[in-house]
């Protein structure tokens, strides 16, 4: 599948913004669902500059009824939805015991229930047509939680379980609608300039850091190919595999290095926490954060996953050639 109509929640900044650009460049019409007025306007203009139709809708993804109304508006103004990308989230850098009940609930409602609400709105329209794809943007932290982000990690664990359950239900009913996931590493996005911060130093992504365009490429790839799940970043691979093989060792490492590894002494920009108020209302923040100097634009894990069929065929051919060579030497 290429072209069509895609909805991107959290599409004004970071990975969501990069996904908006990626889909528009690939020939999709794009609806952007987010809160910030300036970000919505700028994202909408970028889609139109790419020669595609755009629709910006101001909506809080934690509000299920508002998300459903937004989906109805997309259908009315653009047409049937082919792809729905759940990318919106809210996060913090704080110890659990320093996080209030109100803050914790808000992060959970946006990061987890926001994806539930988006999936519900998408499936309400896709199941009747028996076609469409929902892409839930997840994280390596859905497999191995880290310190200072208990609300975010808990939400991503929930997104993983929710997605797997719904995908199984769709398979049971014989539906051709797909619900899939993309697992991300630390990404260079504006989130670190506006997440809730209660630590001494400025927030930063866990190294190694990757550019949001890699995540956007993975999102479009799973939307266009029959993939259940895809990993982005070598750190995602070793986090997930490390948790499977040596969970106590991973926990010991994170207990020692996980807190300091998420903080920087540099004078990084801060726009105020966006937990309850959008921070791209008056100024567009774009896709990138403050870490361009160290962020990677290439990733062998994503490349290998996107080309796994060719790699498998090539590997099989190489093994066959090796066996033939050995037979010739023996004869």
């Amino acid at each position: 599948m290429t072209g069509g109509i895609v909805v991107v929640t959290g599409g004004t900044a970071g990975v969501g913004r990069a996904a908006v650009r990626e889909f528009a460049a690939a020939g999709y019409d794009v609806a952007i669902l987010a809160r910030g007025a300036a970000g919505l306007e700028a994202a909408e203009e970028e889609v139109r500059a790419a020669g595609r139709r755009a629709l910006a809708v101001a909506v809080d993804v934690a509000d299920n009824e508002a998300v459903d109304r937004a989906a109805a508006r997309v259908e009315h103004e653009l047409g049937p939805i082919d792809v729905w990308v759940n990318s919106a989230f809210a996060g913090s850098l704080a110890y659990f015991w320093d996080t209030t009940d109100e803050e914790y609930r808000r992060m959970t409602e946006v990061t987890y229930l926001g994806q539930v609400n988006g999936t519900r709105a998408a499936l309400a329209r896709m199941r009747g047509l028996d076609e469409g794809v929902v892409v839930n943007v997840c994280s390596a932290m859905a497999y191995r939680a880290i310190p200072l982000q208990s609300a975010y990690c808990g939400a991503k664990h929930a997104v993983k379980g929710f997605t797997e359950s719904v995908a199984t239900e769709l398979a049971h009913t014989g539906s051709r609608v797909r619900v899939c996931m993309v697992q991300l590493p630390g990404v260079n996005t504006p989130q670190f300039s506006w997440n809730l911060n209660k630590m001494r130093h400025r927030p930063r992504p866990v190294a190694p850091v990757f550019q949001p365009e890699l995540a956007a490429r993975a999102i479009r790839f799973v939307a266009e190919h029959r993939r259940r799940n895809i990993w982005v970043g070598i750190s995602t691979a070793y986090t997930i595999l490390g948790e499977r093989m040596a969970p106590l060792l991973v926990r010991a490492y994170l207990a020692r290095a996980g807190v300091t590894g998420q903080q920087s002494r540099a004078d990084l920009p801060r726009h105020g926490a966006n937990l309850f108020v959008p921070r791209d209302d008056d100024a567009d923040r774009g896709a990138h954060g403050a870490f361009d100097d160290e962020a990677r634009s290439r990733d062998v894990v994503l490349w290998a996953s996107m080309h796994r069929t060719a790699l498998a065929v090539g590997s099989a051919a190489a093994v066959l050639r090796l066996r033939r060579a050995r037979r010739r030497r023996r004869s």
Side-chain angles (χ1 to χ4, degrees), residues 5-7 29-33 53 55 57 67-81 84 125:
I5 296 167
V6 59
V7 174
D29 297 327
V30 186
I32 308 106
L33 275 57
R53 293 184 300 161
L55 176 64
V57 184
V67 172
D68 189 68
R69 288 194 300 270
R73 182 179 169 189
V74 173
E75 279 196 316
H76 177 72
E77 297 192 27
L78 297 182
I81 299 166
W84 186 293
R125 291 150 177 87

Side-chain angles (χ1 to χ4, degrees), residues 112-130:
Y112 172 48
L113 292 181
Q115 299 218 18
V116 172
N117 296 338
T119 302
R120 179 182 287 112
L123 293 186
R125 291 150 177 87
M126 293 176 177
R127 288 182 62 240
L129 300 173
D130 199 26

Side-chain angles (χ1 to χ4, degrees), residues 57 107 118 141 182 195 237 248 294 307-308:
V57 184
M107 285 184 279
M141 287 184 251
V182 175
N195 60 355
L248 293 180
E294 63 175 292
H307 297 86
R308 67 181 186 182

Side-chain angles (χ1 to χ4, degrees), residues 144 242-256:
R144 170 64 247 186
E243 177 64 14
R244 290 175 180 174
M245 295 183 292
L248 293 180
L249 183 62
V250 173
R251 185 177 69 175
Y253 169 77
L254 289 172
R256 179 173 58 85

Side-chain angles (χ1 to χ4, degrees), residues 5 7 34 36 67 81 103 132 134 140 148 150 152-153 165 173 180 221 241 253 295 297 327:
I5 296 167
V7 174
V67 172
I81 299 166
E103 292 164 347
V134 177
L148 305 183
S150 61
Y152 178 84
C153 292
S165 179
T173 59
C180 48
F221 183 82
L241 296 175
Y253 169 77
S297 299
R327 288 176 188 152

Side-chain angles (χ1 to χ4, degrees), residues 19-327:
V20 167
R21 295 169 178 170
E22 176 76 18
F23 279 104
Y28 289 79
D29 297 327
V30 186
I32 308 106
L33 275 57
R35 294 179 298 164
L40 283 166
E41 181 180 356
E44 190 176 39
E45 288 177 356
E46 287 182 343
V47 174
R48 289 176 177 158
R52 307 308 305 174
R53 293 184 300 161
L55 176 64
V57 184
V59 64
D60 184 343
V61 297
D63 185 336
N64 177 57
E65 292 183 358
V67 172
D68 189 68
R69 288 194 300 270
R73 182 179 169 189
V74 173
E75 279 196 316
H76 177 72
E77 297 192 27
L78 297 182
I81 299 166
D82 298 290
V83 179
W84 186 293
V85 179
N86 286 310
S87 182
F89 77 95
S92 70
L93 200 70
Y95 288 112
F96 166 72
W97 46 83
D98 291 332
T99 309
T100 68
D101 175 71
E102 183 183 23
E103 292 164 347
Y104 214 92
R105 287 178 182 274
R106 176 61 180 168
M107 285 184 279
T108 303
E109 287 170 355
V110 173
T111 308
Y112 172 48
L113 292 181
Q115 299 218 18
V116 172
N117 296 338
T119 302
R120 179 182 287 112
L123 293 186
R125 291 150 177 87
M126 293 176 177
R127 288 182 62 240
L129 300 173
D130 199 26
E131 60 183 4
V133 184
V134 177
V135 182
N136 287 335
V137 178
C138 210
S139 168
M141 287 184 251
Y143 294 80
R144 170 64 247 186
I146 64 175
L148 305 183
Q149 295 198 47
S150 61
Y152 178 84
C153 292
K156 291 302 184 181
H157 272 72
V159 167
K160 177 178 178 291
F162 160 74
T163 303
E164 291 170 344
S165 179
V166 174
T168 306
E169 292 171 358
L170 289 168
H172 171 75
T173 59
S175 175
R176 294 194 301 170
V177 178
R178 293 187 296 118
V179 180
C180 48
M181 289 182 289
V182 175
Q183 311 297 344
L184 300 184
V187 183
N188 174 34
T189 73
Q191 77 174 87
F192 302 97
S193 64
W194 64 29
N195 60 355
L196 179 68
N197 182 32
K198 296 189 177 184
M199 302 306 293
R200 181 179 180 183
H201 302 298
R202 301 293 175 89
R204 60 152 291 133
V206 176
V209 184
F210 295 84
Q211 295 289 24
E213 287 76 17
L214 284 171
R217 197 176 308 155
I219 291 168
R220 183 166 73 89
F221 183 82
V222 297
E224 296 177 347
H225 298 78
R226 299 200 67 83
R227 292 290 185 87
R228 177 185 62 87
N229 195 9
I230 194 170
W231 300 352
V232 178
I234 186 66
S235 51
T236 296
Y238 65 61
T239 297
I240 295 174
L241 296 175
E243 177 64 14
R244 290 175 180 174
M245 295 183 292
L248 293 180
L249 183 62
V250 173
R251 185 177 69 175
Y253 169 77
L254 289 172
R256 179 173 58 85
V259 171
T260 56
Q262 295 182 77
Q263 297 181 71
S264 172
R265 295 177 181 272
D267 186 22
L268 300 172
R270 288 294 296 172
H271 306 307
N274 77 333
L275 200 54
F276 300 101
V277 179
R279 295 301 177 180
D280 58 350
D281 219 8
D282 299 322
D284 174 39
R285 306 301 179 186
H288 287 213
F291 306 93
D292 280 326
D293 58 339
E294 63 175 292
R296 303 181 183 184
S297 299
R298 298 180 181 179
D299 172 42
V300 65
V301 171
L302 177 60
W303 183 90
S305 184
M306 292 173 67
H307 297 86
R308 67 181 186 182
T309 300
L311 288 172
V313 172
S315 298
V319 170
L320 183 60
R321 286 195 298 268
L322 181 60
R323 287 178 178 176
R324 287 174 177 172
R326 286 177 177 174
R327 288 176 188 152

